[in-house]
Amino acid sequence: KAGVTQTPRYLIKTRGQQVTLSCSPISGHRSVSWYQQTPGQGLQFLFEYFSETQRNKGNFPGRFSGRQFSNSRSEMNVSTLELGDSALYLCASSPRGLSTEAFFGQGTRLTVV
Amino acid sequence: AQSVTQLDSHVSVSEGTPVLLRCNYSSSYSPSLFWYVQHPNKGLQLLLKYTSAATLVKGINGFEAEFKKSETSFHLTKPSAHMSDAAEYFCVVSPGGGADGLTFGKGTHLIIQP
């Protein structure tokens, strides 16, 4: 069974630009959640999607948004990039939601210059 | 609201000696608790999970953890450390009431001395 796939693995963007990250969950998993990992703040929850609906949202500004498609693939978008958005962005999929175990992708390393 | 506190940012042990990584949590609901491991430049891998069944949970690679409700703790242990155990370990609490996402501890960096 294929694992969680995140693309691209690395990105370099300029301040003010926008970026879209993609996550393909494990087949059959309906929940996809996103996390930001930085040395200063650690791992922080961004949002969770379940069957194309945003079910939970973390404490991030509206520049961070996401969506989920009917095949459970998810995208995360960050608009008007700031230097502080440089981070490892991790996606996780779960069969039924966050009370069950989450399976993580290897992440997308975003660098904003 | 929920929170997780990993009591040690770094733990150093000698190969072959026991490992103890400490975690305390708070949650408004009956939580699910997890330990994940992250090797350099890799994603997170689930070590074990507690979901209100047995309080002593066995995971992969010889790790286990004990859920103690009275102490709100979920410490991770391993009887004998191996060099390959060197990594970052995260204690994680999941909502029981359907709100919030996974909440991660700050992580404990485990160093294995030869």
Side-chain angles (χ1 to χ4, degrees), chain A residues 9-10 33 35 37 40-45 48 55-57 88 90 92 98-107 109, chain B residues 32 34 36 38 41-46 49-51 88 90 92-96 98-106:
Chain A
R9 290 292 311 280
Y10 302 92
S33 50
Y35 304 84
Q37 186 176 26
Q41 298 298 316
L43 274 152
Q44 294 182 284
F45 169 73
E48 184 211 4
R55 195 157 68 168
N56 294 295
K57 191 177 190 305
L88 180 66
L90 291 165
L98 296 176
S99 62
T100 59
E101 64 263 42
F103 297 85
F104 284 81
Q106 290 199 283
R109 173 76 62 184
Chain B
S32 295
F34 308 86
Y36 283 86
Q38 185 177 34
N41 300 313
K42 296 287 181 73
L44 282 83
Q45 180 185 19
L46 178 69
K49 63 177 180 179
Y50 166 79
T51 54
E88 193 82 15
F90 294 94
V92 182
V93 61
S94 170
D100 303 332
L102 295 179
T103 298
F104 287 79
K106 293 289 188 186

Side-chain angles (χ1 to χ4, degrees), chain A residues 51-66:
Chain A
S51 295
E52 301 180 64
T53 301
Q54 187 180 86
R55 195 157 68 168
N56 294 295
K57 191 177 190 305
N59 190 25
F60 277 82
R63 300 185 297 107
F64 292 82
S65 63

Side-chain angles (χ1 to χ4, degrees), chain A residues 1-6 23-27 29 93 103-106:
Chain A
K1 210 174 198 183
V4 179
T5 303
Q6 291 189 245
C23 173
S24 293
I26 293 171
S27 178
H29 287 194
S93 77
F103 297 85
F104 284 81
Q106 290 199 283

Side-chain angles (χ1 to χ4, degrees), chain B residues 1-113:
Chain B
Q2 58 204 28
S3 66
V4 178
T5 302
Q6 290 184 243
L7 297 165
D8 307 291
S9 59
H10 292 79
V11 169
S12 180
V13 302
S14 297
E15 190 174 20
T17 64
V19 175
L20 170 64
L21 305 184
R22 298 182 295 165
C23 172
N24 285 94
Y25 71 93
S26 70
S27 177
S28 303
Y29 303 97
S30 298
S32 295
L33 294 161
F34 308 86
W35 276 97
Y36 283 86
V37 61
Q38 185 177 34
H39 291 275
N41 300 313
K42 296 287 181 73
L44 282 83
Q45 180 185 19
L46 178 69
L47 279 177
L48 49 80
K49 63 177 180 179
Y50 166 79
T51 54
S52 76
T55 57
L56 183 62
V57 181
K58 294 190 184 298
I60 62 171
N61 300 336
F63 284 96
E64 62 181 41
E66 186 172 8
F67 174 73
K68 291 186 176 180
K69 187 175 182 179
S70 61
E71 299 176 11
T72 60
S73 69
F74 190 57
H75 301 334
L76 181 70
T77 60
K78 182 173 180 176
S80 177
H82 191 272
M83 294 300 291
S84 61
D85 295 329
E88 193 82 15
Y89 291 79
F90 294 94
C91 182
V92 182
V93 61
S94 170
D100 303 332
L102 295 179
T103 298
F104 287 79
K106 293 289 188 186
T108 297
H109 186 58
L110 178 61
I111 300 161
I112 311 296
Q113 307 281 2

